[in-house]
Amino acid sequence: MRELPVKETEEAWTPAELDEVRTELEAEIDRLTRQVDKATSSFSALVAGGEGAGDDQVDHGAATAGREHEMTIANNARDLLEQTQRALVRMSSGAYGACESCTGPIGKARLQAFPRVTLCVACKARGERR
């Protein structure tokens, strides 16, 4: 495997550091997979329950809000799961640590704090200003 990009002021990634990040990403994948499964099954149970014969508008509104909440949780967890899986693929391909916008190094400290990020601080800030 080729050496992953780092900032000039940083040391190269050690195998132990990469193993630590990989283990964290894999644990996050397991956690998020369980969260997606749970939210999906909760949402399915809410949908299967349907509206009761005697439900009034408040009951119907509460049920709708519950379904929307479960859908939001499932979608957020699914997005994080995809980002985390993508980080592992980038690590395996040697692209981990390179900003997807400017191709410069993201920074080892940033990746150790947020292992699934794909943009350096400057590109992330530029994107948020838009």
Side-chain angles (χ1 to χ4, degrees):
M1 178 191 330
R2 67 181 190 170
E3 197 169 291
L4 299 178
V6 294
K7 291 184 174 186
E8 291 177 13
T9 57
E10 296 175 324
E11 302 274 328
W13 285 94
T14 66
E17 289 169 331
L18 284 174
D19 285 342
E20 184 178 326
V21 171
R22 185 177 291 109
T23 299
E24 183 179 338
L25 289 168
E26 290 168 347
E28 185 71 355
I29 286 172
D30 290 342
R31 185 188 71 75
L32 288 167
T33 300
R34 286 191 307 274
Q35 187 175 358
V36 167
D37 291 345
K38 180 181 176 188
T40 303
S41 65
S42 293
F43 176 71
S44 297
L46 284 171
V47 170
E51 275 82 48
D55 285 355
D56 61 14
Q57 288 180 339
V58 174
D59 292 335
H60 180 70
T64 300
R67 283 193 298 270
E68 289 175 359
H69 179 73
E70 291 298 328
M71 279 182 18
T72 300
I73 290 172
N75 288 335
N76 288 345
R78 200 173 287 115
D79 288 345
L80 290 174
L81 178 61
E82 289 172 8
Q83 291 172 15
T84 306
Q85 290 168 330
R86 188 166 169 217
L88 278 178
V89 169
R90 288 173 53 82
M91 190 178 281
S92 297
S93 72
Y96 190 73
C99 177
E100 288 185 340
S101 181
C102 70
T103 69
I106 291 173
K108 205 165 120 176
R110 178 165 164 76
L111 286 165
Q112 287 172 322
F114 306 104
R116 65 176 148 248
V117 298
T118 59
L119 299 174
C120 66
V121 172
C123 290
K124 178 68 175 171
R126 192 171 30 256
E128 288 179 354
R129 282 192 296 256
R130 292 183 190 165

